[in-house]
Amino acid sequence: MVTMSEASGETRAVPGTVGIVLVSHSGPVAGSVAELAVGLAGGTATAPVAPAGGTEDGGLGTSSELITSAARAVDGGAGVAVLVDLGSAVLTVKALLAEGDELPDGTRLVDAPLVEGAVAAVVTASTGADLDAVEAAAREAYDYRKAD
Amino acid sequence: MLDAGFFRRWLTAAAAAVDREAERLTELDSPIGDADHGSNLQRGFAAVVTTLDQEAPATPGAVLVLAGRQLISTVGGASGPLYGTLLRRTGKALGEAAEVSEQDFADALKESVEAVGRLGGAAVGDKTMLDALVPAVDALAESFTAAAAAAEKGAESTVPLQARKGRASYLGERSIGHQDPGATSSALIVTALAEAAGGSASGGDHE
């Protein structure tokens, strides 16, 4: 089951599966990273992935509305892993989590690089792993060294 | 004592100051940031004023919580969650009282400034809004006017500093010599507090 409809960008929650939200300052970056992660996961990508990139009017920045609606869209009751790029994306998610009632229960900001972490998170979540395992997989992406 | 009307006056004055100085804030944000601080805050504070007009919250706590949420959701840059957290935390600490003492407000604001520091992982000297906010809340025990002067001085003190947080930190030594836009907007917001308190030289009179 492909959960990210490329035509409409609609995302459906999968009951019992961890949802993934990708936050970037740029709409195209968040969307493309979502596509990349789902694509690299191949036919195994069953976890719902929602991009929340840029501001609502399509500019560069962070929108708490887009983040909140993305998290709600992928929430299947098993938790939501949120991966972010930098600056206001990090701070907005932290502030929303501190609000208490803005994001679905079990939403977690994952400390991971956006691109590599997204791939790891989507693949892991698609195996039916729990939020702890998804978080651990995404964090591990930091340990992969690319040069000496 | 400070009532909901005082806090609405504060935020309205802050919105007017941000509106008036938006161009300058964006200019300061051009060499060391992404040139959107003025327009971001303009949008955020305009939304705050609109929301306060529409919902007319009855207590100081409710005014600040509503304003904070509005900043988090409309600013679109890092200052949104930071100022939003500042106001929201302060509002929560003030609870549901119809009026609060200046001392209670000063204590709540001080704790919220510390929370903002933790949220951004920053400290005084990092060339951020904390360089204005921390001396301001320390001076708040004296008067609103003293807090405004301390914030102003704190903002100016960021000029020789090298940025250690945010986008400006990527510039390393090249961030030296520019006044931090966040500290500058913080000074505007604290100065608005003195305006709301009456704008007189005596500032926050203690009863």
mmCIF file of all heavy atoms in Angstrom, chain A residues 23-81:
data_model
loop_
_atom_site.group_PDB
_atom_site.id
_atom_site.type_symbol
_atom_site.label_atom_id
_atom_site.label_comp_id
_atom_site.label_asym_id
_atom_site.label_seq_id
_atom_site.Cartn_x
_atom_site.Cartn_y
_atom_site.Cartn_z
ATOM 1 N N VAL A 23 9.713 17.990 8.441
ATOM 2 C CA VAL A 23 9.583 19.443 8.486
ATOM 3 C C VAL A 23 10.837 20.096 7.905
ATOM 4 O O VAL A 23 11.950 19.807 8.343
ATOM 5 C CB VAL A 23 9.385 19.933 9.935
ATOM 6 C CG1 VAL A 23 9.131 21.438 9.949
ATOM 7 C CG2 VAL A 23 8.246 19.188 10.620
ATOM 8 N N SER A 24 10.634 20.946 6.922
ATOM 9 C CA SER A 24 11.746 21.713 6.369
ATOM 10 C C SER A 24 11.304 23.155 6.188
ATOM 11 O O SER A 24 10.107 23.441 6.121
ATOM 12 C CB SER A 24 12.176 21.136 5.015
ATOM 13 O OG SER A 24 13.025 22.044 4.345
ATOM 14 N N HIS A 25 12.272 24.067 6.082
ATOM 15 C CA HIS A 25 11.957 25.462 5.783
ATOM 16 C C HIS A 25 11.369 25.615 4.391
ATOM 17 O O HIS A 25 10.801 26.639 4.051
ATOM 18 C CB HIS A 25 13.229 26.310 5.840
ATOM 19 C CG HIS A 25 13.579 26.742 7.224
ATOM 20 N ND1 HIS A 25 13.783 25.859 8.244
ATOM 21 C CD2 HIS A 25 13.740 27.984 7.749
ATOM 22 C CE1 HIS A 25 14.075 26.548 9.344
ATOM 23 N NE2 HIS A 25 14.045 27.832 9.074
ATOM 24 N N SER A 26 11.569 24.581 3.565
ATOM 25 C CA SER A 26 11.141 24.664 2.174
ATOM 26 C C SER A 26 10.104 23.591 1.871
ATOM 27 O O SER A 26 10.322 22.410 2.166
ATOM 28 C CB SER A 26 12.376 24.480 1.279
ATOM 29 O OG SER A 26 12.027 23.863 0.067
ATOM 30 N N GLY A 27 8.992 23.985 1.277
ATOM 31 C CA GLY A 27 7.971 23.028 0.882
ATOM 32 C C GLY A 27 8.511 21.969 -0.060
ATOM 33 O O GLY A 27 8.331 20.767 0.167
ATOM 34 N N PRO A 28 9.205 22.402 -1.141
ATOM 35 C CA PRO A 28 9.758 21.410 -2.068
ATOM 36 C C PRO A 28 10.752 20.453 -1.404
ATOM 37 O O PRO A 28 10.790 19.272 -1.733
ATOM 38 C CB PRO A 28 10.454 22.263 -3.135
ATOM 39 C CG PRO A 28 9.714 23.564 -3.117
ATOM 40 C CD PRO A 28 9.295 23.773 -1.686
ATOM 41 N N VAL A 29 11.566 20.942 -0.463
ATOM 42 C CA VAL A 29 12.521 20.043 0.212
ATOM 43 C C VAL A 29 11.756 18.992 1.019
ATOM 44 O O VAL A 29 12.026 17.793 0.900
ATOM 45 C CB VAL A 29 13.494 20.825 1.126
ATOM 46 C CG1 VAL A 29 14.268 19.862 2.028
ATOM 47 C CG2 VAL A 29 14.469 21.645 0.291
ATOM 48 N N ALA A 30 10.799 19.417 1.828
ATOM 49 C CA ALA A 30 10.049 18.457 2.651
ATOM 50 C C ALA A 30 9.343 17.435 1.759
ATOM 51 O O ALA A 30 9.380 16.228 2.019
ATOM 52 C CB ALA A 30 9.031 19.193 3.529
ATOM 53 N N GLY A 31 8.728 17.925 0.674
ATOM 54 C CA GLY A 31 8.015 17.022 -0.236
ATOM 55 C C GLY A 31 8.957 16.045 -0.912
ATOM 56 O O GLY A 31 8.663 14.857 -1.043
ATOM 57 N N SER A 32 10.105 16.558 -1.339
ATOM 58 C CA SER A 32 11.055 15.703 -2.053
ATOM 59 C C SER A 32 11.702 14.671 -1.134
ATOM 60 O O SER A 32 11.953 13.541 -1.549
ATOM 61 C CB SER A 32 12.150 16.551 -2.710
ATOM 62 O OG SER A 32 11.578 17.414 -3.656
ATOM 63 N N VAL A 33 11.992 15.088 0.096
ATOM 64 C CA VAL A 33 12.581 14.130 1.037
ATOM 65 C C VAL A 33 11.565 13.018 1.328
ATOM 66 O O VAL A 33 11.925 11.843 1.411
ATOM 67 C CB VAL A 33 13.052 14.829 2.341
ATOM 68 C CG1 VAL A 33 13.507 13.800 3.374
ATOM 69 C CG2 VAL A 33 14.184 15.798 2.046
ATOM 70 N N ALA A 34 10.297 13.392 1.438
ATOM 71 C CA ALA A 34 9.252 12.373 1.651
ATOM 72 C C ALA A 34 9.224 11.394 0.473
ATOM 73 O O ALA A 34 9.193 10.171 0.658
ATOM 74 C CB ALA A 34 7.891 13.041 1.825
ATOM 75 N N GLU A 35 9.264 11.945 -0.725
ATOM 76 C CA GLU A 35 9.247 11.107 -1.927
ATOM 77 C C GLU A 35 10.472 10.197 -1.982
ATOM 78 O O GLU A 35 10.379 9.013 -2.314
ATOM 79 C CB GLU A 35 9.287 12.031 -3.149
ATOM 80 C CG GLU A 35 8.308 11.687 -4.236
ATOM 81 C CD GLU A 35 8.316 12.797 -5.280
ATOM 82 O OE1 GLU A 35 7.580 13.785 -5.123
ATOM 83 O OE2 GLU A 35 9.116 12.667 -6.219
ATOM 84 N N LEU A 36 11.630 10.787 -1.654
ATOM 85 C CA LEU A 36 12.883 10.038 -1.651
ATOM 86 C C LEU A 36 12.832 8.890 -0.648
ATOM 87 O O LEU A 36 13.193 7.752 -0.975
ATOM 88 C CB LEU A 36 14.039 10.988 -1.309
ATOM 89 C CG LEU A 36 15.426 10.365 -1.132
ATOM 90 C CD1 LEU A 36 15.939 9.808 -2.460
ATOM 91 C CD2 LEU A 36 16.415 11.395 -0.587
ATOM 92 N N ALA A 37 12.369 9.182 0.553
ATOM 93 C CA ALA A 37 12.336 8.158 1.603
ATOM 94 C C ALA A 37 11.395 7.029 1.211
ATOM 95 O O ALA A 37 11.727 5.850 1.354
ATOM 96 C CB ALA A 37 11.905 8.781 2.928
ATOM 97 N N VAL A 38 10.226 7.393 0.694
ATOM 98 C CA VAL A 38 9.261 6.370 0.278
ATOM 99 C C VAL A 38 9.832 5.578 -0.905
ATOM 100 O O VAL A 38 9.748 4.348 -0.955
ATOM 101 C CB VAL A 38 7.908 7.024 -0.092
ATOM 102 C CG1 VAL A 38 6.981 6.008 -0.747
ATOM 103 C CG2 VAL A 38 7.259 7.620 1.149
ATOM 104 N N GLY A 39 10.488 6.293 -1.823
ATOM 105 C CA GLY A 39 11.060 5.627 -3.000
ATOM 106 C C GLY A 39 12.172 4.665 -2.624
ATOM 107 O O GLY A 39 12.229 3.541 -3.122
ATOM 108 N N LEU A 40 13.060 5.105 -1.730
ATOM 109 C CA LEU A 40 14.189 4.253 -1.341
ATOM 110 C C LEU A 40 13.731 3.065 -0.506
ATOM 111 O O LEU A 40 14.403 2.043 -0.448
ATOM 112 C CB LEU A 40 15.241 5.060 -0.570
ATOM 113 C CG LEU A 40 16.054 6.067 -1.391
ATOM 114 C CD1 LEU A 40 17.098 6.753 -0.514
ATOM 115 C CD2 LEU A 40 16.723 5.404 -2.584
ATOM 116 N N ALA A 41 12.589 3.222 0.159
ATOM 117 C CA ALA A 41 12.066 2.093 0.932
ATOM 118 C C ALA A 41 11.444 1.063 -0.012
ATOM 119 O O ALA A 41 11.108 -0.046 0.396
ATOM 120 C CB ALA A 41 11.042 2.580 1.948
ATOM 121 N N GLY A 42 11.293 1.421 -1.276
ATOM 122 C CA GLY A 42 10.770 0.501 -2.284
ATOM 123 C C GLY A 42 9.354 0.076 -1.992
ATOM 124 O O GLY A 42 8.574 0.839 -1.429
ATOM 125 N N GLY A 43 9.042 -1.143 -2.331
ATOM 126 C CA GLY A 43 7.679 -1.625 -2.143
ATOM 127 C C GLY A 43 7.311 -1.844 -0.690
ATOM 128 O O GLY A 43 6.164 -2.169 -0.378
ATOM 129 N N THR A 44 8.301 -1.644 0.183
ATOM 130 C CA THR A 44 8.029 -1.947 1.589
ATOM 131 C C THR A 44 7.481 -0.748 2.355
ATOM 132 O O THR A 44 7.179 -0.855 3.533
ATOM 133 C CB THR A 44 9.315 -2.404 2.309
ATOM 134 O OG1 THR A 44 10.219 -1.283 2.373
ATOM 135 C CG2 THR A 44 9.982 -3.549 1.561
ATOM 136 N N ALA A 45 7.398 0.410 1.681
ATOM 137 C CA ALA A 45 6.997 1.616 2.395
ATOM 138 C C ALA A 45 5.501 1.654 2.657
ATOM 139 O O ALA A 45 4.721 2.077 1.812
ATOM 140 C CB ALA A 45 7.415 2.861 1.617
ATOM 141 N N THR A 46 5.114 1.200 3.816
ATOM 142 C CA THR A 46 3.692 1.231 4.155
ATOM 143 C C THR A 46 3.382 2.265 5.225
ATOM 144 O O THR A 46 2.226 2.540 5.507
ATOM 145 C CB THR A 46 3.242 -0.145 4.685
ATOM 146 O OG1 THR A 46 4.131 -0.526 5.733
ATOM 147 C CG2 THR A 46 3.286 -1.185 3.589
ATOM 148 N N ALA A 47 4.439 2.816 5.829
ATOM 149 C CA ALA A 47 4.204 3.815 6.878
ATOM 150 C C ALA A 47 3.792 5.132 6.241
ATOM 151 O O ALA A 47 4.308 5.515 5.195
ATOM 152 C CB ALA A 47 5.471 4.009 7.697
ATOM 153 N N PRO A 48 2.839 5.818 6.866
ATOM 154 C CA PRO A 48 2.404 7.101 6.316
ATOM 155 C C PRO A 48 3.454 8.195 6.553
ATOM 156 O O PRO A 48 4.004 8.307 7.640
ATOM 157 C CB PRO A 48 1.133 7.410 7.099
ATOM 158 C CG PRO A 48 1.257 6.663 8.368
ATOM 159 C CD PRO A 48 2.099 5.451 8.086
ATOM 160 N N VAL A 49 3.716 8.966 5.507
ATOM 161 C CA VAL A 49 4.710 10.039 5.579
ATOM 162 C C VAL A 49 4.044 11.326 5.130
ATOM 163 O O VAL A 49 3.411 11.349 4.066
ATOM 164 C CB VAL A 49 5.903 9.754 4.643
ATOM 165 C CG1 VAL A 49 6.984 10.814 4.831
ATOM 166 C CG2 VAL A 49 6.468 8.371 4.885
ATOM 167 N N ALA A 50 4.178 12.381 5.916
ATOM 168 C CA ALA A 50 3.606 13.664 5.496
ATOM 169 C C ALA A 50 4.652 14.766 5.574
ATOM 170 O O ALA A 50 5.292 14.952 6.602
ATOM 171 C CB ALA A 50 2.413 14.024 6.387
ATOM 172 N N PRO A 51 4.846 15.495 4.478
ATOM 173 C CA PRO A 51 5.751 16.639 4.517
ATOM 174 C C PRO A 51 5.045 17.853 5.110
ATOM 175 O O PRO A 51 3.843 18.021 4.941
ATOM 176 C CB PRO A 51 6.076 16.874 3.040
ATOM 177 C CG PRO A 51 4.909 16.333 2.290
ATOM 178 C CD PRO A 51 4.269 15.275 3.147
ATOM 179 N N ALA A 52 5.813 18.675 5.838
ATOM 180 C CA ALA A 52 5.282 19.946 6.343
ATOM 181 C C ALA A 52 6.377 20.970 6.086
ATOM 182 O O ALA A 52 7.192 21.270 6.948
ATOM 183 C CB ALA A 52 4.949 19.841 7.827
ATOM 184 N N GLY A 53 6.412 21.467 4.863
ATOM 185 C CA GLY A 53 7.512 22.342 4.481
ATOM 186 C C GLY A 53 7.074 23.761 4.206
ATOM 187 O O GLY A 53 6.009 24.013 3.654
ATOM 188 N N GLY A 54 7.912 24.701 4.624
ATOM 189 C CA GLY A 54 7.676 26.104 4.305
ATOM 190 C C GLY A 54 6.499 26.692 5.047
ATOM 191 O O GLY A 54 5.954 26.094 5.970
ATOM 192 N N THR A 55 6.121 27.891 4.626
ATOM 193 C CA THR A 55 4.988 28.563 5.251
ATOM 194 C C THR A 55 3.720 28.250 4.458
ATOM 195 O O THR A 55 3.787 27.717 3.348
ATOM 196 C CB THR A 55 5.204 30.088 5.271
ATOM 197 O OG1 THR A 55 5.420 30.532 3.929
ATOM 198 C CG2 THR A 55 6.432 30.449 6.096
ATOM 199 N N GLU A 56 2.573 28.606 5.025
ATOM 200 C CA GLU A 56 1.313 28.268 4.367
ATOM 201 C C GLU A 56 1.160 28.942 3.006
ATOM 202 O O GLU A 56 0.498 28.423 2.118
ATOM 203 C CB GLU A 56 0.130 28.644 5.257
ATOM 204 C CG GLU A 56 -0.132 27.583 6.300
ATOM 205 C CD GLU A 56 -0.765 28.183 7.535
ATOM 206 O OE1 GLU A 56 -0.022 28.761 8.350
ATOM 207 O OE2 GLU A 56 -1.981 28.096 7.647
ATOM 208 N N ASP A 57 1.790 30.118 2.852
ATOM 209 C CA ASP A 57 1.674 30.806 1.556
ATOM 210 C C ASP A 57 2.774 30.382 0.583
ATOM 211 O O ASP A 57 2.977 31.017 -0.449
ATOM 212 C CB ASP A 57 1.665 32.322 1.757
ATOM 213 C CG ASP A 57 2.897 32.823 2.502
ATOM 214 O OD1 ASP A 57 3.839 32.026 2.690
ATOM 215 O OD2 ASP A 57 2.921 34.012 2.885
ATOM 216 N N GLY A 58 3.491 29.298 0.923
ATOM 217 C CA GLY A 58 4.466 28.757 -0.016
ATOM 218 C C GLY A 58 5.861 29.344 0.115
ATOM 219 O O GLY A 58 6.750 29.015 -0.676
ATOM 220 N N GLY A 59 6.082 30.214 1.101
ATOM 221 C CA GLY A 59 7.404 30.807 1.287
ATOM 222 C C GLY A 59 8.319 29.924 2.125
ATOM 223 O O GLY A 59 7.948 28.815 2.512
ATOM 224 N N LEU A 60 9.526 30.418 2.363
ATOM 225 C CA LEU A 60 10.475 29.704 3.206
ATOM 226 C C LEU A 60 10.192 30.023 4.666
ATOM 227 O O LEU A 60 9.995 31.186 5.022
ATOM 228 C CB LEU A 60 11.914 30.125 2.887
ATOM 229 C CG LEU A 60 12.443 29.813 1.486
ATOM 230 C CD1 LEU A 60 13.864 30.351 1.332
ATOM 231 C CD2 LEU A 60 12.409 28.324 1.204
ATOM 232 N N GLY A 61 10.176 28.995 5.497
ATOM 233 C CA GLY A 61 9.917 29.220 6.924
ATOM 234 C C GLY A 61 9.285 27.988 7.528
ATOM 235 O O GLY A 61 9.391 26.896 6.969
ATOM 236 N N THR A 62 8.645 28.183 8.660
ATOM 237 C CA THR A 62 8.037 27.055 9.361
ATOM 238 C C THR A 62 6.599 27.410 9.705
ATOM 239 O O THR A 62 6.330 28.506 10.178
ATOM 240 C CB THR A 62 8.803 26.757 10.664
ATOM 241 O OG1 THR A 62 10.186 26.620 10.360
ATOM 242 C CG2 THR A 62 8.320 25.461 11.287
ATOM 243 N N SER A 63 5.698 26.487 9.455
ATOM 244 C CA SER A 63 4.294 26.720 9.770
ATOM 245 C C SER A 63 3.813 25.715 10.796
ATOM 246 O O SER A 63 3.805 24.505 10.545
ATOM 247 C CB SER A 63 3.449 26.591 8.505
ATOM 248 O OG SER A 63 2.102 26.329 8.848
ATOM 249 N N SER A 64 3.384 26.218 11.945
ATOM 250 C CA SER A 64 2.881 25.301 12.968
ATOM 251 C C SER A 64 1.593 24.637 12.505
ATOM 252 O O SER A 64 1.305 23.503 12.876
ATOM 253 C CB SER A 64 2.676 26.038 14.291
ATOM 254 O OG SER A 64 1.647 26.975 14.164
ATOM 255 N N GLU A 65 0.824 25.352 11.661
ATOM 256 C CA GLU A 65 -0.428 24.761 11.152
ATOM 257 C C GLU A 65 -0.127 23.547 10.276
ATOM 258 O O GLU A 65 -0.775 22.508 10.392
ATOM 259 C CB GLU A 65 -1.204 25.786 10.295
ATOM 260 C CG GLU A 65 -1.508 27.089 10.986
ATOM 261 C CD GLU A 65 -2.487 26.937 12.141
ATOM 262 O OE1 GLU A 65 -3.349 26.053 12.057
ATOM 263 O OE2 GLU A 65 -2.350 27.689 13.121
ATOM 264 N N LEU A 66 0.847 23.702 9.369
ATOM 265 C CA LEU A 66 1.184 22.583 8.484
ATOM 266 C C LEU A 66 1.730 21.400 9.281
ATOM 267 O O LEU A 66 1.421 20.245 8.987
ATOM 268 C CB LEU A 66 2.207 23.021 7.429
ATOM 269 C CG LEU A 66 1.719 24.019 6.373
ATOM 270 C CD1 LEU A 66 2.845 24.370 5.401
ATOM 271 C CD2 LEU A 66 0.522 23.455 5.603
ATOM 272 N N ILE A 67 2.531 21.695 10.305
ATOM 273 C CA ILE A 67 3.102 20.622 11.126
ATOM 274 C C ILE A 67 1.989 19.892 11.873
ATOM 275 O O ILE A 67 1.924 18.656 11.884
ATOM 276 C CB ILE A 67 4.122 21.195 12.138
ATOM 277 C CG1 ILE A 67 5.334 21.779 11.399
ATOM 278 C CG2 ILE A 67 4.570 20.104 13.116
ATOM 279 C CD1 ILE A 67 6.256 22.608 12.277
ATOM 280 N N THR A 68 1.086 20.663 12.459
ATOM 281 C CA THR A 68 0.002 20.059 13.230
ATOM 282 C C THR A 68 -0.903 19.211 12.341
ATOM 283 O O THR A 68 -1.254 18.077 12.689
ATOM 284 C CB THR A 68 -0.817 21.168 13.918
ATOM 285 O OG1 THR A 68 0.077 21.968 14.695
ATOM 286 C CG2 THR A 68 -1.867 20.597 14.831
ATOM 287 N N SER A 69 -1.240 19.732 11.170
ATOM 288 C CA SER A 69 -2.146 18.939 10.319
ATOM 289 C C SER A 69 -1.431 17.718 9.749
ATOM 290 O O SER A 69 -2.043 16.655 9.595
ATOM 291 C CB SER A 69 -2.795 19.797 9.228
ATOM 292 O OG SER A 69 -1.818 20.409 8.453
ATOM 293 N N ALA A 70 -0.127 17.835 9.485
ATOM 294 C CA ALA A 70 0.627 16.667 9.003
ATOM 295 C C ALA A 70 0.658 15.582 10.078
ATOM 296 O O ALA A 70 0.447 14.396 9.795
ATOM 297 C CB ALA A 70 2.048 17.078 8.615
ATOM 298 N N ALA A 71 0.911 15.993 11.328
ATOM 299 C CA ALA A 71 0.993 15.009 12.419
ATOM 300 C C ALA A 71 -0.351 14.317 12.617
ATOM 301 O O ALA A 71 -0.415 13.106 12.819
ATOM 302 C CB ALA A 71 1.441 15.688 13.708
ATOM 303 N N ARG A 72 -1.429 15.098 12.509
ATOM 304 C CA ARG A 72 -2.760 14.491 12.678
ATOM 305 C C ARG A 72 -3.056 13.538 11.531
ATOM 306 O O ARG A 72 -3.686 12.490 11.719
ATOM 307 C CB ARG A 72 -3.825 15.575 12.760
ATOM 308 C CG ARG A 72 -3.756 16.295 14.110
ATOM 309 C CD ARG A 72 -4.803 17.369 14.240
ATOM 310 N NE ARG A 72 -4.601 18.102 15.489
ATOM 311 C CZ ARG A 72 -4.900 19.370 15.675
ATOM 312 N NH1 ARG A 72 -5.447 20.076 14.689
ATOM 313 N NH2 ARG A 72 -4.674 19.957 16.822
ATOM 314 N N ALA A 73 -2.586 13.892 10.340
ATOM 315 C CA ALA A 73 -2.884 13.057 9.166
ATOM 316 C C ALA A 73 -2.206 11.694 9.241
ATOM 317 O O ALA A 73 -2.747 10.706 8.756
ATOM 318 C CB ALA A 73 -2.451 13.790 7.888
ATOM 319 N N VAL A 74 -1.027 11.617 9.843
ATOM 320 C CA VAL A 74 -0.299 10.339 9.859
ATOM 321 C C VAL A 74 -0.462 9.583 11.175
ATOM 322 O O VAL A 74 0.099 8.501 11.340
ATOM 323 C CB VAL A 74 1.217 10.538 9.588
ATOM 324 C CG1 VAL A 74 1.436 11.171 8.215
ATOM 325 C CG2 VAL A 74 1.883 11.366 10.687
ATOM 326 N N ASP A 75 -1.215 10.147 12.105
ATOM 327 C CA ASP A 75 -1.343 9.516 13.419
ATOM 328 C C ASP A 75 -2.254 8.301 13.372
ATOM 329 O O ASP A 75 -3.464 8.430 13.192
ATOM 330 C CB ASP A 75 -1.889 10.549 14.425
ATOM 331 C CG ASP A 75 -2.135 9.936 15.795
ATOM 332 O OD1 ASP A 75 -1.401 8.982 16.152
ATOM 333 O OD2 ASP A 75 -3.041 10.398 16.504
ATOM 334 N N GLY A 76 -1.650 7.126 13.525
ATOM 335 C CA GLY A 76 -2.442 5.900 13.532
ATOM 336 C C GLY A 76 -2.513 5.292 14.917
ATOM 337 O O GLY A 76 -2.794 4.109 15.078
ATOM 338 N N GLY A 77 -2.203 6.087 15.920
ATOM 339 C CA GLY A 77 -2.310 5.622 17.296
ATOM 340 C C GLY A 77 -1.029 5.005 17.843
ATOM 341 O O GLY A 77 -0.956 4.641 19.009
ATOM 342 N N ALA A 78 0.000 4.871 16.988
ATOM 343 C CA ALA A 78 1.255 4.250 17.452
ATOM 344 C C ALA A 78 2.348 5.287 17.655
ATOM 345 O O ALA A 78 3.502 4.962 17.886
ATOM 346 C CB ALA A 78 1.703 3.200 16.434
ATOM 347 N N GLY A 79 1.985 6.537 17.536
ATOM 348 C CA GLY A 79 2.973 7.598 17.711
ATOM 349 C C GLY A 79 3.368 8.217 16.381
ATOM 350 O O GLY A 79 3.115 7.649 15.311
ATOM 351 N N VAL A 80 3.940 9.392 16.471
ATOM 352 C CA VAL A 80 4.368 10.126 15.280
ATOM 353 C C VAL A 80 5.805 10.583 15.496
ATOM 354 O O VAL A 80 6.115 11.214 16.516
ATOM 355 C CB VAL A 80 3.463 11.361 15.030
ATOM 356 C CG1 VAL A 80 3.970 12.176 13.846
ATOM 357 C CG2 VAL A 80 2.015 10.925 14.807
ATOM 358 N N ALA A 81 6.685 10.254 14.553
ATOM 359 C CA ALA A 81 8.077 10.707 14.616
ATOM 360 C C ALA A 81 8.216 11.935 13.732
ATOM 361 O O ALA A 81 7.867 11.900 12.553
ATOM 362 C CB ALA A 81 9.012 9.600 14.135
#
